[in-house]
Amino acid sequence: MPADDTRTPNAPTRRSATILQVEEVGKRFGGLQALSDVSFTVQRGQIKAVIGPNGAGKTTLFNCIAGNLAPTAGKITFAGQRIDGRPAHEIARLGLARTFQNIKLFSGMSAVETVMVGRHPQTKAGFLPCLCRLPWTRREWRLSHKRALELLDLVEIADHAEKEATSLAFGQQRAVELARALATEPDLLLLDEPAAGLNMYETAELGRLIRKIRDQGVTILLVEHDMSLVMEVSDEITVLNFGQKIADDAPSAIQNHPEVIAIYLGEDDAQGT
Amino acid sequence: MRPYLPFPFLLCLVVGVQLLTQWTDTAYYLTQLTMAAYYALLVIGLCLLMGYAGQISLGHAGFFGIGGYISAALTTHNLAGVDNSLIRLLERLGLLAASTDMFGDPLLTVHPWAAAAIAILTAVLVAWLIGGPVLKLTGHYLAMATLGFGIIIYRIALATPFFGEADGISEVPPLPLLPGLAISGDFSARVTNYYIAWGLLALGLLLLVNLIHSRIGLALRAIHGSEEAAASVGVDTAKAKLKTFVLSAAYAAAAGIFLTHYNGGIGPSEAGIMKSVRYVAIVAVGGMASLWGALLMAVLLNFLSLRGLFGTYDDAVFGLILIAIMLFAPDGVLRLGIAARLRAWRQAHASR
């Protein structure tokens, strides 16, 4: 079916192949142009990576997409809707979830509770029904609890469900964050340097997990420094440098892209990969 | 069910204390225990805001004052002889109560229930208007802004003739709850009112325990932990904070209404800054994120204060408590004891 199929305009969900479209996005902080004229698309079912040296604007780009920052120029379209400048919680409810480079867990909450917070968009109970503990709010709660445990199982830390999330090992904390993001049942998952601080073994496990999540129908956009992980899991890679896109291609092409090699290895060592 | 386990103990305690005062002929303690229960109602509401949602308010005595003053003013202001269309409309709606004052002159006032409803709605509205802009602030800035709000309410109470200026308002009538059951300071109704107050407090606590063990409670604790992360999973943090602030203000206003009817009056000090500081201190002593701790400490400290144990140094004692808690037990005294004992126990066993 063509991407812009308009023959069935009344179909309940019009799933175009492009899930995220970033068009000429710019972000200026005072005198600093952190991003300029960045454009790329993410297709449904893809694993796409954004790479680039420190300060290239990767996290700024993520924050613009997820609503933590408002871009100063350009357009971002997610699943057919403009999302640039909209608040983070609204974007999350549209089906776009994220993890953070510096893990942001909730102190004092167990792993399972943390993941249950991620069920917020999938649940309804408001202040009054909760104050009165209406029976349906309890059913909803039990379902959330069950679902949260399943997700902890998926990220392989089910044994630590009742432990305080912030007391877990670093890699396990990342897993809790991932499960929390998945609990929102996203269509697109943004992972901000998911392998940072993980050892080689854990990184390989993470690669497996990312593919497993994609195979369940979640499109993935990740920012990552770890080249082995990026090359292994990505279908497509966008390269940023000094806030500008310099390449957008398949991993094999990126590996041989002269400008990318220059950035990553320095001009003198352009032979190595 | 675990969060509800302490409720039967609370029931036993409340009944036990009453029986004890009866046997030992010390029923006069019940007066202070009744008042302390109403103050505790405010404190648990503040505990939800501070301990769970992580937002401070140094203006909660202001909401208590709004509740107390509006219900006091409306139930005492004599409308007899005033004749305009508004009064006639209110009378037709049955919102007015006619009686006679102590000299036998006709007295026409707003019915206590209508007055209470207006008082709560006013507090809710004010909280909504103030909370919208103010809750965008965090930390010191939020503390200062709410402090400013508290000062305004205090000065309004002190300067407005309608609210009795420095004298406050007296001769507030009882608040009827059910036939034969009213919140009043009448000597003969002391035991009844003790149970009414603790019943209302238990009900207020039950609702909050429900809330914190729900989807909303999780969201509030998440906001406390990281607003950015909470928003990233779809929590509308501004809205949740505002609703919590409003709910907490409604608790404070309800406490003000009940206590004003019980005391038969209210004075400006009830809306003062020192009261707000006291409530914050009590929540801190109770352990911030602990409704039961806040309740126990609110009852204990207010009881001691009302019994005059701290003498003229009353406010100084609460200031001292605040300093001591921040220095030595930032998680509250209840947790300090348990944690220290556990550690000692573990060390004693590990060294063998």
Side-chain angles (χ1 to χ4, degrees):
Chain A
M1 193 162 61
D4 53 351
D5 189 352
T6 50
R7 279 169 301 174
T8 54
N10 294 325
T13 48
R14 185 177 156 273
R15 289 170 69 91
S16 104
T18 302
I19 188 165
L20 184 77
Q21 187 160 22
V22 176
E23 290 171 87
E24 292 160 22
V25 162
K27 176 68 189 177
R28 173 177 278 282
F29 296 106
L32 174 78
Q33 188 74 41
L35 285 178
S36 49
D37 211 19
V38 174
S39 300
F40 65 92
T41 59
V42 181
Q43 308 300 319
R44 273 184 202 278
Q46 235 186 0
I47 298 178
K48 179 140 187 170
V50 177
I51 64 170
N54 277 329
K58 303 180 301 283
T59 293
T60 303
L61 176 67
F62 256 38
N63 284 338
C64 286
I65 296 171
N68 303 89
L69 289 173
T72 42
K75 251 169 84 169
I76 303 172
T77 315
F78 171 67
Q81 294 194 51
R82 279 284 291 271
I83 57 166
D84 48 281
R86 290 179 71 175
H89 70 266
E90 283 183 17
I91 294 174
R93 287 179 195 179
L94 292 175
L96 192 156
R98 69 167 298 175
T99 63
F100 295 89
Q101 186 180 345
N102 318 307
I103 301 171
K104 290 183 196 290
L105 293 171
F106 310 122
S107 56
M109 286 172 78
S110 70
V112 66
E113 285 176 323
T114 306
V115 178
M116 285 173 77
V117 176
R119 293 275 304 167
H120 203 81
Q122 304 299 328
T123 44
K124 284 196 191 63
F127 267 77
L128 272 180
C130 287
L131 277 167
C132 303
R133 201 181 159 93
L134 297 181
W136 66 266
T137 68
R138 302 314 300 168
R139 282 197 294 277
E140 192 181 84
W141 172 275
R142 282 192 296 271
L143 181 67
S144 280
H145 189 261
K146 181 167 159 271
R147 192 77 191 100
L149 289 177
E150 287 167 9
L151 285 165
L152 286 174
D153 195 39
L154 176 76
V155 299
E156 288 163 13
I157 48 164
D159 296 346
H160 304 292
E162 297 302 329
K163 289 192 190 140
E164 194 174 324
T166 49
S167 72
L168 295 175
F170 193 76
Q172 294 168 335
Q173 294 194 19
R174 285 219 178 276
V176 175
E177 250 208 349
L178 187 58
R180 178 180 70 192
L182 287 173
T184 66
E185 297 182 12
D187 296 317
L188 175 63
L189 177 62
L190 308 190
L191 301 175
D192 197 351
E193 299 204 15
L198 302 187
N199 62 32
M200 277 170 61
Y201 171 74
E202 289 170 323
T203 304
E205 284 287 296
L206 178 70
R208 227 165 36 81
L209 183 59
I210 289 173
R211 272 206 233 99
K212 193 156 127 194
I213 291 166
R214 190 267 305 269
D215 293 344
Q216 295 189 354
V218 181
T219 309
I220 289 169
L221 176 64
L222 74 152
V223 159
E224 189 46 69
H225 268 303
D226 189 296
M227 280 303 143
S228 63
L229 177 69
V230 168
M231 292 301 163
E232 191 197 319
V233 302
S234 311
D235 300 315
E236 255 184 8
I237 298 173
T238 295
V239 187
L240 291 184
N241 195 25
F242 294 114
Q244 283 174 313
K245 185 177 89 171
I246 58 169
D248 189 356
D249 218 327
S252 55
I254 293 291
Q255 266 173 323
N256 299 315
H257 195 290
E259 229 180 314
V260 177
I261 294 169
I263 291 167
Y264 270 88
L265 301 168
E267 306 283 352
D268 306 336
D269 193 18
Q271 320 296 342
T273 41
Chain B
M1 278 300 111
R2 208 156 44 111
Y4 299 93
L5 281 184
F7 276 97
F9 290 99
L10 181 69
L11 178 69
C12 296
L13 195 68
V14 168
V15 174
V17 165
Q18 192 266 318
L19 293 177
L20 196 68
T21 58
Q22 200 172 326
W23 290 328
T24 56
D25 218 11
T26 51
Y28 47 83
Y29 283 131
L30 293 184
T31 302
Q32 288 83 35
L33 285 171
T34 304
M35 293 167 73
Y38 289 134
Y39 284 123
L41 190 61
L42 178 149
V43 169
I44 57 172
L46 184 61
C47 176
L48 176 76
L49 181 70
M50 284 177 61
Y52 291 91
Q55 312 297 311
I56 195 170
S57 169
L58 275 170
H60 254 50
F63 293 116
F64 182 98
I66 289 176
Y69 264 105
I70 289 183
S71 58
L74 292 180
T75 53
T76 54
H77 196 75
N78 196 352
L79 301 169
V82 187
D83 192 33
N84 61 39
S85 49
L86 178 67
I87 301 295
R88 260 176 275 139
L89 177 72
L90 289 176
E91 200 159 19
R92 206 166 308 145
L93 291 173
L95 298 179
L96 298 186
S99 58
T100 51
D101 65 13
M102 58 172 110
F103 308 110
D105 292 326
L107 190 61
L108 184 67
T109 60
V110 177
H111 190 277
W113 266 107
I118 294 169
I120 289 267
L121 287 177
T122 307
V124 163
L125 187 69
V126 170
W128 200 276
L129 293 175
I130 299 275
V134 156
L135 288 169
K136 291 198 177 81
L137 305 171
T138 54
H140 305 323
Y141 303 100
L142 178 62
M144 282 192 263
T146 52
L147 182 67
F149 162 75
I151 292 172
I152 292 170
I153 299 298
Y154 174 62
R155 297 312 301 194
I156 289 175
L158 200 57
T160 313
F162 184 66
F163 293 131
E165 295 174 326
D167 295 331
I169 300 173
S170 53
E171 286 168 45
V172 175
L175 174 67
L177 293 177
L178 298 166
L181 210 59
I183 296 180
S184 85
D186 192 28
F187 182 74
S188 61
R190 187 155 64 191
V191 175
T192 322
N193 263 272
Y194 167 80
Y195 281 113
I196 290 174
W198 281 88
L200 288 169
L201 176 60
L203 178 66
L205 182 68
L206 181 68
L207 294 177
L208 292 187
V209 170
N210 286 345
L211 186 72
I212 61 169
H213 293 98
S214 76
R215 168 181 183 260
I216 297 294
L218 277 181
L220 294 181
R221 289 163 62 201
I223 290 171
H224 195 174
S226 163
E227 284 199 32
E228 207 182 352
S232 82
V233 290
V235 178
D236 187 343
T237 56
K239 207 161 134 194
K241 283 194 289 181
L242 182 59
K243 284 186 175 176
T244 309
F245 188 67
V246 169
L247 179 64
S248 159
Y251 266 68
I257 294 166
F258 296 148
L259 190 59
T260 299
H261 282 287
Y262 181 69
N263 284 342
I266 185 170
S269 70
E270 289 293 350
I273 295 308
M274 284 318 299
K275 284 283 182 168
S276 290
V277 172
R278 167 181 303 201
Y279 301 140
V280 169
I282 292 171
V283 172
V285 180
M288 292 289 188
S290 164
L291 286 172
W292 287 100
L295 183 140
L296 283 180
M297 288 302 149
V299 170
L300 181 71
L301 291 174
N302 275 304
F303 176 74
L304 295 179
S305 163
L306 289 163
R307 288 301 301 171
L309 189 82
F310 308 140
T312 45
Y313 296 105
D314 207 30
D315 288 335
V317 168
F318 281 95
L320 191 67
I321 287 173
L322 200 50
I323 295 174
I325 283 295
M326 289 303 139
L327 280 177
F328 304 115
D331 292 330
V333 286
L334 295 181
R335 260 172 240 187
L336 178 80
I338 295 163
R341 229 172 287 158
L342 263 178
R343 227 175 294 136
W345 184 82
R346 249 186 242 146
Q347 270 162 6
H349 284 252
S351 58
R352 265 175 220 164

